[in-house]
Amino acid sequence: MQEDLVWNASYSDFILNGFSELGEWRPFLFAPFLLMFLLSLSANSFLLFIIISQNTLHTPMCILIAGMAVVDLILPVFFVPNMLFSFLLDWRGISLAGCLVQMFCIHFIGSFQSTVLMWMSLDRYFAICTPLYYHNYMTIYNVMKYVIPPLIRNALLIIQIVILAGRLSFCHTNVIDHCFCEHMALVHLACGSIYIDNLTGLLAVFLIPTADFIFITISYVIIFVSVFKSGKSQVKAINTCLTHIIVMTMSLIIALLAFMSYRIKNNISQSSRVFISTMYLLFPSCLNPIIYGIRTKEIRERALSWLHFSKRVSCP
């Protein structure tokens, strides 16, 4: 009877124990993660300010870049502050409800890192392959047809993941070997079967970032074939698309490493696994505004113009 009571008991509070292998060196992680967090906030905020304040930048591609900046601005807020407090003050506790809310926010917002790139590839396809009909394809009605289905896909898959995780019983331990409530890091603590949760997580991986990557690849193959056949300015078209391909490839590789490390037996240390998962979310948030701000000519020129004007005003 006593064993049944212990087995039926389920933890409702957890301890986030990421990077515990570092021991007394763990607090030294505060400075680099704080710098990355501040870089993400400042760079994405500045990029959003430039796009919103300049009417000439209210084009479909710049609006998509602004959408990516919103994703990159919001996403770190859901987990980096908790990590910083954990490193500096050793605050590691979180309730099950808080863990599930954090899990949904991180995975749902994070899913749009690849989806926005997919929308960008669609915009480039219409702009390069069908330039005469570009504005017809970019009307609000048509844009909604491309935006709403991926939005519903992402929401349904992430909601399903969180609901299934919330129905599990956690009776073995309440220590999560992670800095935030990553899906499989929590699910691995369950005392029952996690087959359905594992399968649903894999489906989400292959139906969101992997499917987006496949769609992006097909779009750019069509774009490159169209450019070479038509004899258009090849360098400009390739430069426009190359950044998206590089960013998406890097993001997908890191994402697959993070997700599959929990599902395949390997010799990756726990701290390395946590680091990969964290970089999958945080690194693009720091890198994207710099890449798209520098490589997008219109944004770069407007940003430099604004900085020059601000310098003149502050130094009469």
Side-chain angles (χ1 to χ4, degrees):
M1 178 66 69
Q2 185 176 359
E3 291 181 357
D4 292 338
L5 289 174
V6 173
W7 180 260
N8 291 329
S10 181
Y11 288 106
S12 58
D13 294 288
F14 296 89
I15 298 172
L16 295 169
N17 204 35
F19 297 112
S20 59
E21 296 176 0
L22 298 181
E24 61 183 9
W25 295 98
R26 192 171 179 270
F28 288 94
L29 294 174
F30 176 83
F33 277 105
L34 176 62
L35 290 175
M36 292 183 69
F37 183 53
L38 294 177
L39 174 61
S40 174
L41 292 181
S42 57
N44 286 292
S45 297
F46 180 70
L47 181 58
L48 275 173
F49 168 75
I50 293 297
I51 294 175
I52 293 173
S53 63
Q54 303 294 322
N55 291 331
T56 56
L57 296 180
H58 294 174
T59 61
M61 175 53 73
C62 289
I63 291 173
L64 286 172
I65 293 175
M68 175 176 288
V70 171
V71 171
D72 292 335
L73 182 64
I74 295 175
L75 183 59
V77 174
F78 289 118
F79 69 97
V80 176
N82 287 347
M83 288 174 57
L84 296 178
F85 282 120
S86 174
F87 296 149
L88 191 64
L89 303 175
D90 205 32
W91 293 357
R92 309 191 191 193
I94 189 170
S95 66
L96 177 59
C99 191
L100 294 174
V101 170
Q102 187 187 58
M103 182 191 301
F104 172 78
C105 293
I106 290 174
H107 289 291
F108 179 65
I109 301 298
S111 67
F112 286 95
Q113 288 183 326
S114 64
T115 302
V116 173
L117 287 173
M118 181 189 70
W119 289 333
M120 286 183 179
S121 71
L122 193 63
D123 175 85
R124 292 299 85 198
Y125 168 79
F126 290 138
I128 296 173
C129 296
T130 59
L132 297 178
Y133 302 98
Y134 176 74
H135 294 290
N136 293 334
Y137 287 122
M138 289 295 109
T139 60
I140 295 297
Y141 174 76
N142 286 327
V143 167
M144 287 299 102
K145 293 192 297 185
Y146 311 128
V147 169
I148 292 177
L151 186 103
I152 294 174
R153 173 201 64 179
N154 294 6
L156 290 178
L157 286 170
I158 302 305
I159 288 173
Q160 183 67 21
I161 285 174
V162 174
I163 290 175
L164 289 173
R167 296 173 61 183
L168 295 172
S169 295
F170 306 96
C171 54
H172 293 312
T173 180
N174 67 335
V175 178
I176 302 175
D177 289 324
H178 216 295
C179 289
F180 56 86
C181 287
E182 201 275 338
H183 174 240
M184 286 306 296
L186 175 65
V187 167
H188 273 168
L189 304 183
C191 47
S193 173
I194 61 171
Y195 174 78
I196 299 299
D197 298 81
N198 195 4
L199 180 61
T200 307
L202 285 173
L203 285 175
V205 172
F206 289 108
L207 292 179
I208 299 179
T210 306
D212 290 345
F213 179 79
I214 292 172
F215 184 90
I216 291 170
T217 302
I218 293 173
S219 298
Y220 287 146
V221 167
I222 296 174
I223 289 172
F224 291 151
V225 170
S226 174
V227 166
F228 288 123
K229 282 186 177 181
S230 63
K232 297 178 184 177
S233 177
Q234 300 175 4
V235 174
K236 182 179 179 180
I238 292 174
N239 285 338
T240 302
C241 303
L242 189 60
T243 301
H244 300 173
I245 296 174
I246 294 173
V247 172
M248 188 61 204
T249 302
M250 291 176 58
S251 299
L252 183 65
I253 291 173
I254 297 175
L256 291 177
L257 283 174
F259 292 131
M260 300 308 294
S261 64
Y262 284 97
R263 295 173 169 87
I264 299 176
K265 290 184 178 181
N266 53 73
N267 295 322
I268 300 177
S269 67
Q270 191 59 43
S271 293
S272 299
R273 184 179 292 132
V274 173
F275 179 77
I276 292 172
S277 298
T278 305
M279 286 299 100
Y280 161 62
L281 297 174
L282 186 57
F283 187 68
S285 295
C286 299
L287 188 64
N288 288 341
I290 298 174
I291 289 178
Y292 292 105
I294 293 175
R295 290 187 63 89
T296 305
K297 181 181 178 181
E298 296 82 2
I299 296 177
R300 181 176 67 250
E301 290 177 349
R302 292 298 175 180
L304 292 174
S305 176
W306 184 87
L307 290 172
H308 181 67
F309 175 77
S310 300
K311 184 177 180 180
R312 288 175 57 191
V313 171
S314 61
C315 302

